[in-house]
Amino acid sequence: MTSRVMLISPAMSAALREARFDDGCPVDPAGLRLAEAAAGSLPAADRVLVSPTVRCRETAAALGLDALAVTEPPELAGLDVGRWRGATLAEVSGDEPEAVGRWLTDPSSAPHGGESVAGLCERVAKWLETVADPSPGAAGSGTGSAGGSGPGSVRIIAVVEPEIVRAGVVRALGAPESAFWRVDVPPLVATEFSGRAGRWNVRVGTSLGE
């Protein structure tokens, strides 16, 4: 069974533009227009998943994916940054420079009181394992079908937070977790994974809406 997973980063928002840890702000008008321009360009999917954030939900809707049965598995929640949520990276760096330094260099650290990068990578890796085994009831696989794949394959489209894409690329390629911050994920970009039994090929960097 071949699994094909397309992870789409959310359209531009004020939080992304300001390098602000997600505070629930919506997609901005320009980002919404780009997402709407890409509607209809995506392949049909067997499952559609969304990170449980405002900007991911709005991006999925603008792409026309809300017409399908959309689920929000907890495995695809963004990185929990604890008390830093809603602050910009510059603000936190000014208030807690040593903590930010540890966070950016040690994947196992979580000085904000939330989730570590290592923990996030492990969470996403486990989700990818369930995707590689798309049997009914597989954990985190979601439900709903749009008839997107042929016999012997399953296609999933997920609009997810950028850090979910980073974690997926790191684990799919077998890279060390220290490579997490070296994966650049711009807004409204599709990253495609294909493989079986947990062995993945990765196609990075397809911009949507341009």
Side-chain angles (χ1 to χ4, degrees):
M1 178 73 70
T2 299
S3 297
R4 303 182 188 281
V5 180
M6 177 182 286
L7 300 183
I8 301 173
S9 55
M12 180 61 75
S13 66
L16 287 171
R17 183 177 289 106
E18 298 166 2
R20 182 180 301 278
F21 297 108
D22 181 40
D23 56 358
C25 75
V27 171
D28 66 23
L32 191 63
R33 286 192 296 271
L34 285 174
E36 290 172 342
S41 66
L42 299 174
D46 297 290
R47 303 184 186 111
V48 176
L49 311 177
V50 177
S51 286
T53 60
V54 172
R55 61 192 181 193
C56 286
R57 294 186 189 109
E58 291 186 345
T59 299
L63 289 169
L65 298 175
D66 59 335
L68 307 177
V70 178
T71 58
E72 300 181 2
E75 296 89 344
L76 297 185
L79 178 68
D80 178 6
V81 293
R83 66 177 179 275
W84 293 354
R85 186 174 188 270
T88 65
L89 181 58
E91 290 168 345
V92 175
S93 296
D95 293 340
E96 304 180 56
E98 293 183 358
V100 172
R102 289 198 310 274
W103 183 61
L104 293 174
T105 56
D106 179 4
S108 66
S109 69
H112 41 58
E115 183 180 28
S116 68
V117 166
L120 172 69
C121 289
E122 182 62 22
R123 168 160 61 90
V124 174
K126 290 180 179 179
W127 176 74
L128 283 172
E129 289 175 5
T130 69
V131 171
D133 175 24
S135 56
S141 62
T143 58
S145 175
S149 62
S153 66
V154 61
R155 183 184 295 277
I156 295 171
I157 295 179
V159 181
V160 297
E161 291 296 317
E163 59 267 28
I164 300 297
V165 182
R166 289 192 182 100
V169 170
V170 166
R171 283 307 181 93
L173 297 181
E177 291 162 351
S178 58
F180 179 85
W181 296 114
R182 299 177 66 182
V183 180
D184 188 20
V185 184
L188 209 59
V189 164
T191 301
E192 299 180 68
F193 301 75
S194 62
R196 64 180 69 203
R199 183 181 178 90
W200 298 100
N201 294 323
V202 182
R203 181 180 180 183
V204 181
T206 302
S207 295
L208 304 178
E210 295 183 352

